[in-house]
DNA sequence: CGTGTCCTTGAGTGGCTTCAATCAGTGTGG
DNA sequence: CCACACTGATTGAAGCCACTCAAGGACACG
């Protein structure tokens, strides 16, 4: 479950929060950091439950969910490689984190990180900028949930995942989204993120397929056949 | 449109971001700060448009919206007194800010504030905590948009506004939400925040009224008759 | 080969929307 | 003072999109 690793060979070091630290601090952080692995579907951290560590996602996708006693559940955020997991300055997060795919985390001690956050303006600022981006992303998604049709929702989600996976990819380069990859979410999870039912998601995927925008292949693979068409169907809106 | 004012007599100074500043800095800030007033319905700042100032809301309610060329519009956030308006470290915000009611702002120069933010750990941390709270609030709202029924949505909104107005009130005290006040949003705006149509909002308000949970009076006044019932109808979920 | 999980497909329903008419409140001009 | 226009809210009737219920297919596992 745990092993140490060097920041210098970290796959996400160019993009993760850690780059806000000066080198000497990075070294100190490294000495206390450790890795964790979760299989797909595993519970990571809980709503209203004390968490004494934070983490950077090294690989995989994490879903943040909120659910009601009556069974209704909504995914309220996805974390991709280089994203940060945790809620500083408050013991517990109001949401549950679960591994959507197999996940590798680089974990940091809560106190140590909060301390660093207060003492390192560069880190603090980087964290703030990221958090502001998260607010924007959440609000964009609010638009999707409130105003888009089922077809637009599904198209938007595929585009969002394509872009995020592309960005998370090792190649620092192109802004153009990936066109062929394994979709990290099940139909159920797609529905939970889009505010739809699983059957509706299935039907809309079929519609996108018939329209020639995408193709679904072996396993959970999705191939973007016609990016322009997909963007048109998403109302040029996503992320 | 503009006038100066002293922080010491500021109505929101206990709750606004400024309290993250040491006194001397507060004085300096005060010398460059100025007030602005907007009538209800006025445009304040725009999507994708450079904004060279930030502001603290002194009174009134601001709505943040996103809209598509085809006319669909969604309110993605509300700002109440003591809240902060603006998007540091990025020229333009992706959302439009409009006055929902008459609004009074205390404005700060963008460069000056960003500078302060980098130099003042206390301010930066306070800002970060607030931003984290905003992410949480946005995600809670995502749940509402994706999973709640029309009736639950309307009940949740009334509760949210009751709590926020209460908190914004001069009395620092009680956590119990206000029970009688002028609702700051029109039916259209309620619909735009809830992902509903105006007619549906109207019908659900009637339902809440028939159920004895609320009462609507002169103008836009709303009276909470049965708080427990209202919370039950909102699924004990809001904000 | 049976069982379980995930996804797909079909048929019918229902909740919210759409379209439309009415009402209340306010301001304007004759 | 009243007729008229205009805006925001309410109410009714009809329609549609996504949901619900149900069955069946694909695939993995023991």
């Amino acid at each position: 479950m745990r092993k140490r690793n060097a920041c210098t060979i970290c796959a996400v070091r160019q993009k993760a929060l850690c780059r806000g630290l000066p080198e000497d601090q990075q070294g100190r952080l490294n000495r206390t950091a450790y890795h964790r692995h979760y299989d797909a579907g595993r519970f990571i951290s809980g709503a209203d439950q004390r968490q004494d560590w934070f983490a950077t996602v090294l690989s995989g996708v994490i879903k943040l969910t909120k659910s009601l006693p009556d069974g209704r559940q909504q995914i309220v955020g996805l974390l991709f490689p280089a994203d940060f997991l945790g809620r500083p300055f408050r013991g517990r997060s109001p949401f549950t984190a679960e591994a959507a795919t197999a996940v590798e985390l680089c974990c940091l001690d809560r106190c140590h990180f909060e301390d660093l956050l207060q003492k390192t303006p560069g880190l603090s600022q980087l964290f703030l900028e990221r958090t502001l981006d998260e607010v924007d992303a959440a609000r964009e998604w609010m638009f999707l949930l409130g105003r888009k049709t089922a077809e637009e929702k599904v198209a938007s989600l595929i585009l969002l995942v394509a872009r995020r996976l592309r960005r998370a990819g090792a190649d620092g380069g192109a802004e153009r989204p990936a066109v062929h990859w394994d979709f990290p979410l099940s139909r159920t999870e797609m529905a939970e993120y889009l505010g739809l039912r699983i059957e509706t998601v299935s039907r809309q995927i079929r519609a996108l397929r018939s329209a020639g925008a995408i193709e679904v292949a072996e396993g959970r693979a999705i191939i973007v056949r016609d990016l322009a068409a997909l963007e048109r169907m998403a109302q040029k809106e996503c992320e």
Side-chain angles (χ1 to χ4, degrees), chain A:
Chain A
M1 191 81 165
R2 301 176 173 211
K3 59 178 178 180
R4 299 186 182 283
N5 214 336
C7 293
T8 47
I9 60 163
C10 172
V12 299
R13 76 180 180 290
Q14 305 293 347
K15 297 155 188 163
L17 219 47
C18 324
R19 74 183 159 84
L21 284 169
E23 290 222 351
D24 56 325
Q25 290 289 348
Q26 217 167 355
R28 274 191 53 207
L29 191 64
N30 187 24
R31 282 197 294 281
T32 60
Y34 59 93
H35 288 191
R36 274 175 197 260
H37 174 87
Y38 294 89
D39 288 328
R42 291 314 256 290
F43 172 92
I44 296 178
S45 69
D48 304 316
Q49 174 181 318
R50 176 92 199 166
Q51 193 71 18
D52 57 0
W53 50 272
F54 300 125
T56 293
V57 180
L58 298 175
S59 67
V61 177
I62 294 175
K63 53 177 177 169
L64 303 177
T65 66
K66 171 183 170 72
S67 44
L68 241 44
D70 63 16
R72 283 182 284 182
Q73 188 163 20
Q74 174 78 31
I75 295 181
V76 297
L78 293 178
L79 301 182
F80 291 87
D83 283 347
F84 179 88
L85 170 67
R87 179 69 167 85
F89 310 125
R90 176 161 304 180
R92 54 225 190 136
S93 153
F95 308 105
T96 301
E98 279 177 65
T101 66
V103 165
E104 197 77 25
L105 298 183
C106 180
C107 303
L108 314 165
D109 176 66
R110 168 174 212 106
C111 298
H112 185 192
F113 184 79
E114 284 183 347
D115 194 49
L116 271 181
L117 213 43
Q118 291 180 1
K119 287 180 183 157
T120 323
L123 181 64
S124 171
Q125 159 131 6
L126 195 57
F127 196 91
L128 176 56
E129 286 185 43
R130 287 209 171 206
T131 310
L132 287 167
D133 285 340
E134 266 186 88
V135 176
D136 288 346
R139 288 178 167 162
E140 293 283 349
W141 211 252
M142 282 173 59
F143 183 93
L144 174 141
L145 290 170
R147 293 293 168 210
K148 288 194 181 180
T149 64
E151 185 179 58
E152 290 169 338
K153 284 180 175 180
V154 172
S156 299
L157 176 58
I158 294 173
L159 279 174
L160 171 80
V161 172
R163 290 186 184 147
R164 295 290 268 122
L165 284 183
R166 175 60 154 201
R167 204 188 303 162
D171 48 351
E175 265 306 303
R176 214 173 63 262
V179 295
H180 178 227
W181 78 104
D182 239 31
F183 204 81
L185 305 179
S186 68
R187 293 288 183 273
T188 303
E189 288 164 333
M190 294 176 74
E192 283 173 355
Y193 197 25
L194 296 172
L196 296 172
R197 308 268 83 178
I198 176 173
E199 299 95 329
T200 306
V201 171
S202 193
R203 284 184 249 269
Q204 298 308 327
I205 285 181
R206 155 164 282 285
L208 291 176
R209 207 145 55 92
S210 315
I214 63 167
E215 207 167 295
V216 302
E218 195 63 13
R220 278 182 188 166
I222 286 192
I223 301 161
V224 178
R225 272 262 165 267
D226 185 345
L227 183 60
L230 195 58
E231 283 172 339
R232 223 177 308 119
M233 291 173 129
Q235 285 290 314
K236 299 191 169 48
E237 281 311 325
C238 98
E239 180 195 4

